[in-house]
Amino acid sequence: MIDIQNCKAKGYRDFDISYTLMRGNCDTKRLAILLPGAEYSIEKPLFHYITSVYINSNIDVLHIKYCYDQEHFNAKTKEDLLKALKHDVNTVITIVLKQYNYESFQLISKSLGTIALSSLISKKEFKTAKLIWLTPLLKNDEVFLTMRNCSHRSLSIIGNVDPNYNEKRFNLVKENQNMIAKLITGTNQSLERSDNIIESLNILKKIMIEITKFIDED
């Protein structure tokens, strides 16, 4: 039986940040940390199935559920938003790592979450972490340079209809020998075909096969 802990912490400017820790029966030392997009939440299909893969592999899962809409947090500037994002993610991770003795990590990010991921990988705890970059913000210099020079074993998946896709930067990232970079033609920022539901489901299956293979590899 899975132990599901729904918690809140005080985030940037004292706004609440919600998170969920899912712990399996075994006393595992492995943790997967999921960092969603601004509009692609933890409840969306990719994160739902990724969570199931980790739980079935006896790896605990941490969902960090930041939300920066006007109701929850009204950022004054883009810089203020990014400062809040990095602060909130770091706050939650610090709390969880003080409570439990995890030793092995996988970090999974999507869109906005790839900015948070870029700020985390220099932490000593994540020196050997495996990374998954879903629809990374390639037009963001911090994300691009981090992926281009990353020494962590990484998987990146993006579509060429995604507004954050940049062909030149994608090809440069692909040159990184530690990076498995996948381009899915015709897909948008949700890694779906907006004009074809059945094909979107087929694409989701292919993506999950790639992610599962990456999670399970030594």
Side-chain angles (χ1 to χ4, degrees):
M1 186 173 182
I2 304 301
D3 176 26
I4 300 177
Q5 303 174 20
N6 293 309
C7 310
K8 288 187 178 182
K10 283 298 177 184
Y12 185 68
R13 298 210 313 242
D14 283 334
F15 280 84
D16 285 340
I17 174 73
S18 298
Y19 64 96
T20 298
L21 181 63
M22 305 175 69
R23 306 189 75 235
N25 293 324
C26 62
D27 187 21
T28 183
K29 300 295 184 183
R30 300 185 293 171
L31 178 67
I33 301 173
L34 275 58
L35 307 169
E39 298 180 4
Y40 199 97
S41 68
I42 288 294
E43 291 75 21
K44 293 294 182 70
L46 275 171
F47 283 123
H48 170 75
Y49 290 115
I50 289 171
T51 296
S52 296
V53 171
Y54 280 117
I55 293 297
N56 291 337
S57 299
N58 294 319
I59 299 174
D60 291 352
V61 178
L62 173 62
H63 294 163
I64 305 183
K65 303 175 181 179
Y66 41 75
C67 184
Y68 301 111
D69 58 25
Q70 289 188 355
E71 179 181 350
H72 295 86
F73 177 86
N74 189 12
K76 297 177 181 178
T77 63
K78 180 180 178 181
E79 289 72 22
D80 195 35
L81 169 62
L82 298 184
K83 187 175 181 179
L85 170 68
K86 294 175 183 180
H87 177 277
D88 291 347
V89 167
N90 190 65
T91 295
V92 171
I93 290 174
T94 298
I95 291 171
V96 171
L97 296 191
K98 283 182 178 179
Q99 292 176 325
Y100 300 99
N101 185 29
Y102 291 109
E103 297 174 355
S104 176
F105 300 93
Q106 296 197 27
L107 308 180
I108 306 89
S109 62
K110 189 178 187 309
S111 303
L112 181 66
T114 61
I115 294 179
L117 178 54
S118 298
S119 71
L120 289 173
I121 63 173
S122 61
K123 293 173 69 72
K124 64 180 181 179
E125 295 91 339
F126 303 139
K127 184 177 181 180
T128 60
K130 293 173 68 174
L131 314 178
I132 297 178
W133 310 75
L134 300 173
T135 61
L137 303 187
L138 291 176
K139 294 180 180 179
N140 178 281
D141 289 343
E142 181 181 6
V143 173
F144 165 65
L145 292 173
T146 301
M147 296 180 71
R148 178 80 173 92
N149 302 305
C150 184
S151 61
H152 296 66
R153 182 65 173 161
S154 297
L155 171 65
S156 171
I157 303 175
I158 194 170
N160 67 334
V161 186
D162 186 331
N164 293 293
Y165 174 70
N166 179 284
E167 183 178 7
K168 181 179 179 180
R169 289 191 167 191
F170 173 81
N171 289 330
L172 288 171
V173 165
K174 197 173 182 179
E175 291 177 0
N176 183 340
Q177 294 184 352
N178 298 304
M179 181 75 63
I180 302 170
K182 300 287 185 178
L183 179 65
I184 303 182
T185 304
T187 61
N188 56 26
Q189 196 169 5
S190 296
L191 289 171
E192 298 174 349
R193 289 280 302 271
S194 57
D195 59 343
N196 192 323
I197 295 174
I198 301 302
E199 181 59 21
S200 293
L201 292 173
N202 291 331
I203 290 168
L204 175 61
K205 179 180 177 180
K206 292 176 183 177
I207 291 171
M208 286 310 306
I209 290 172
E210 289 289 341
I211 290 174
T212 302
K213 183 168 64 175
F214 180 77
I215 290 172
D216 292 341
E217 72 178 15
D218 294 331

